[in-house]
């Protein structure tokens, strides 16, 4: 179970929604379901329009989550992630702060999503 707080200058105020941890729905689908104005063009990890910054709110170390190959490529091309961060995510289970909403699966931690 996780609370996801969306924040953006495009919104009048922050919105916190409940997301089922481990559900196979992406963060983008959670946003759409709750009418969050998160941009998305391709919805399959190729365009990068759903770029988000994720912060864990629990104060604990964030739980890692595998980056898809598409996500790695798009984030590196956009200059949001380095090869060292990819290596750290894969070997030490530490997620990078920048992700793609269409590829991110909500885990069991409360997060702040900035877009």
């Amino acid at each position: 179970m996780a609370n996801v707080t969306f924040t953006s200058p495009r919104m009048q105020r922050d919105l916190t929604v409940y997301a089922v941890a481990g559900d196979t729905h992406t963060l983008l689908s959670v946003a759409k379901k709750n009418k969050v104005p998160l941009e998305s063009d391709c919805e399959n990890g190729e365009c990068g329009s759903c770029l988000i910054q994720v912060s864990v709110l629990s104060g604990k170390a964030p739980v890692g989550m595998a980056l898809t190959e598409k996500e790695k490529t798009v984030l590196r091309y956009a200059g949001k992630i380095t090869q060292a961060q990819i290596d750290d995510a894969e070997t030490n289970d530490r997620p990078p702060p920048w992700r793609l909403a269409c590829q991110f699966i909500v885990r069991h931690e409360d997060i702040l999503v900035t877009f």
Side-chain angles (χ1 to χ4, degrees):
M1 326 242 197
N3 287 314
V4 178
T5 301
F6 293 95
T7 185
S8 171
R10 297 175 54 196
M11 299 170 53
Q12 289 184 344
R13 58 180 161 68
D14 294 354
L15 175 66
T16 300
V17 300
Y18 175 79
V20 177
D23 190 348
T24 57
H25 293 101
T26 64
L27 186 60
L28 180 59
S29 65
V30 171
K32 284 184 172 197
K33 179 181 174 185
N34 292 281
K35 297 182 173 57
V36 174
L38 179 57
E39 188 173 329
S40 63
D41 290 336
C42 73
E43 298 185 22
N44 67 7
E46 293 180 2
C47 72
S49 65
C50 62
L51 180 68
I52 56 171
Q53 187 173 20
V54 179
S55 305
V56 176
L57 298 176
S58 67
K60 299 177 184 175
V63 176
M65 184 184 143
L67 296 161
T68 65
E69 291 303 317
K70 287 180 183 180
E71 191 173 20
K72 290 177 201 175
T73 301
V74 170
L75 291 174
R76 274 195 317 192
Y77 183 73
K80 297 295 183 183
I81 192 172
T82 65
Q83 185 60 48
Q85 287 174 307
I86 292 171
D87 294 342
D88 193 36
E90 292 176 344
T91 55
N92 299 316
D93 206 26
R94 277 184 270 209
W98 293 95
R99 301 296 302 264
L100 297 179
C102 69
Q103 303 294 296
F104 186 90
I105 306 293
V106 178
R107 302 289 293 260
H108 62 278
E109 54 197 355
D110 296 343
I111 58 173
L112 174 66
V113 177
T114 306
F115 62 98

